[in-house]
Amino acid sequence: MNIFDCVIVGAGPAGLSASLTLGRARRKIALFDDGTNRNRVTTQSNGFLTRDGIKPMEFKEIGLRELSHYPSVHFFKKTIQNISKYRSNQFIVKTDDGQSFISDKLLLASGIQEHFSVPNIRDFYGKSLFNCPYCDGWELRDKQLIIIADKEEHALHMAKLLYNWSKEFVILSNGNKFSKEGIHELQKRNIKVKTETIKNLIGDNGYIQQVELTSGEKVNCVGGFVVPSFYRPNPFLEQFNCEINEDGEVITDGLGRTSCKNVYIAGEIKRISSPSSLINSAADGYKVAISINHDLSEERF
Ligand SMILES: Cc1cc2nc3c(=O)[nH]c(=O)nc-3n(C[C@H](O)[C@H](O)[C@H](O)COP(=O)(O)OP(=O)(O)OC[C@H]3O[C@@H](n4cnc5c(N)ncnc54)[C@H](O)[C@@H]3O)c2cc1C
């Protein structure tokens, strides 16, 4: 059986960065990834200093190439299906093709995923509809846009943020009611709010052109932002009874240690209320790797 110092689930920026730091610290690492990173739907990642505009796949390839210089880091392109406690202090990790790996530490860097309430949004998400203005606002500056937000507080937040990139946008609540005050605040800035349910998104090859409402009205646009809800795709945190607060945020010591001994988290997995970014996740992976290495050093000295 393969025995590792740490198994890392997820080779996004968080898991890659943690693997690099732990590999350089001479720890034996098994890093797993199944290619379901949520940014795989987009063609460019922006805002990571020295990598502005890079393709998500290229980012991962460069990260994995750098890891290949460290012989104690082992990468597996596999899905982790099951993780359970092994003996008193270890974990046994099973892949969907039946392989088992034993590890002293477990780092969950497996990210989050989106849930959308609008039909066929996936046809446009990542090409002309996005979630984060910091990531994609620059490319959509001064264009005719939409904001799709089910909740008024999200719509107001996104409107205030987007206003500096473009002042020409329509807010679509997709059948949800907003307060008179909220609508008034937006209308004062000439921002239209449509509360009808969205019937269909119309466009070509990922590029949105119109939103069709159930009333038959069509709203023209060339892109926009959507506020999805987020969830964690794996049950591992719950299985190990890691503490999660009422906002869905995993409780840690600020350095990635969860309330379950030897289980650590890094990156976007921490919060389902607000997603992160490549650079934040990478920085978090570095920070949490230091915690893991520190704990291993203390335990084994
Ligand atoms: C459309 C879109 C555009 C974006 N644009 C930008 C941008 O321009 N700039 C920016 O900074 N950010 C951008 N982001 C956000 C960015 O992608 C995330 O913030 C970042 O990838 C989070 O990093 P992470 O390492 O925490 O998680 P992820 O990158 O999501 O990595 C998690 C990894 O875990 C793996 N995984 C999950 N479960 C398992 C399992 N059971 N077994 C094996 N592997 C598993 C997945 O395959 C995935 O690769 C964008 C996101 C989207 C959706």
Side-chain angles (χ1 to χ4, degrees):
M1 191 91 80
N2 296 309
I3 301 183
F4 293 87
D5 294 320
C6 186
V7 156
I8 301 178
V9 187
L16 287 168
S17 169
S19 301
L20 180 62
T21 304
L22 287 167
R24 290 180 53 76
R26 309 185 73 187
R27 299 301 180 186
K28 192 174 172 194
I29 302 304
L31 170 66
F32 294 88
D33 195 84
D34 63 4
T36 55
N37 42 304
R38 64 188 189 89
N39 69 343
R40 68 190 183 283
V41 298
T42 197
T43 52
Q44 67 180 72
S45 293
N46 304 302
F48 195 115
L49 191 66
T50 76
R51 301 284 177 202
D52 193 32
I54 193 169
K55 291 187 179 66
M57 192 51 110
E58 195 186 348
F59 185 95
K60 192 168 282 198
E61 280 164 11
I62 294 172
L64 290 173
R65 207 180 310 138
E66 288 180 355
L67 291 182
S68 68
H69 302 148
Y70 300 93
S72 65
V73 179
H74 304 265
F75 174 65
F76 302 90
K77 200 169 179 209
K78 291 176 190 289
T79 302
I80 301 292
Q81 200 164 57
N82 184 275
I83 308 176
S84 47
K85 288 264 174 78
Y86 181 73
R87 296 198 173 129
S88 57
N89 267 332
Q90 290 176 305
F91 299 94
I92 185 159
V93 174
K94 294 193 176 154
T95 57
D96 60 347
D97 59 357
Q99 276 190 278
S100 295
F101 301 78
I102 290 172
S103 176
D104 288 343
K105 306 283 181 195
L106 174 65
L107 172 56
L108 301 174
S110 42
I112 54 175
Q113 297 289 337
E114 302 90 345
H115 172 75
F116 297 107
S117 59
V118 175
N120 75 326
I121 206 159
R122 288 252 171 227
D123 294 347
F124 303 95
Y125 191 58
K127 282 233 176 89
S128 54
L129 292 180
F130 303 92
N131 166 244
C132 164
Y134 292 101
C135 300
D136 301 287
W138 172 258
E139 283 67 27
L140 294 179
R141 66 193 184 280
D142 296 327
K143 300 219 163 111
Q144 197 174 351
L145 305 178
I146 49 163
I147 292 176
I148 302 176
D150 294 354
K151 289 192 180 153
E152 182 179 322
E153 60 186 286
H154 293 159
L156 282 169
H157 171 73
M158 191 60 99
K160 289 175 190 170
L161 201 58
L162 190 59
Y163 204 62
N164 200 42
W165 276 286
S166 174
K167 290 183 177 44
E168 261 195 78
F169 56 87
V170 177
I171 293 184
L172 305 168
S173 81
N174 191 26
N176 296 289
K177 291 265 170 291
F178 286 2
S179 70
K180 273 191 191 143
E181 298 76 34
I183 293 177
H184 181 63
E185 194 176 343
L186 292 161
Q187 283 174 340
K188 273 197 302 193
R189 275 115 192 143
N190 291 324
I191 298 167
K192 290 197 185 83
V193 182
K194 309 261 176 203
T195 54
E196 295 96 320
T197 305
I198 295 171
K199 189 174 167 200
N200 193 20
L201 306 181
I202 301 161
D204 192 25
N205 199 23
Y207 293 94
I208 191 161
Q209 291 157 350
Q210 284 183 322
V211 180
E212 187 183 2
L213 305 174
T214 43
S215 60
E217 187 186 353
K218 288 184 178 160
V219 178
N220 292 326
C221 61
V222 297
F225 291 88
V226 52
V227 185
S229 53
F230 294 96
Y231 66 96
R232 296 185 186 90
N234 299 290
F236 308 135
L237 284 163
E238 289 80 3
Q239 275 169 14
F240 292 116
N241 283 325
C242 295
E243 211 183 324
I244 298 175
N245 73 17
E246 63 276 10
D247 297 326
E249 179 173 338
V250 184
I251 304 298
T252 68
D253 66 343
L255 299 169
R257 296 178 185 91
T258 70
S259 58
C260 177
K261 192 168 164 46
N262 295 326
V263 178
Y264 303 75
I265 58 158
E268 246 177 19
I269 188 174
K270 184 166 171 60
R271 267 182 222 97
I272 48 166
S273 57
S274 58
S276 177
S277 64
L278 298 172
I279 205 153
N280 271 329
S281 279
D284 202 41
Y286 178 85
K287 182 176 74 179
V288 177
I290 302 281
S291 302
I292 294 170
N293 191 55
H294 171 90
D295 294 350
L296 286 168
S297 304
E298 287 288 327
E299 286 156 19
R300 293 178 184 176
F301 185 65

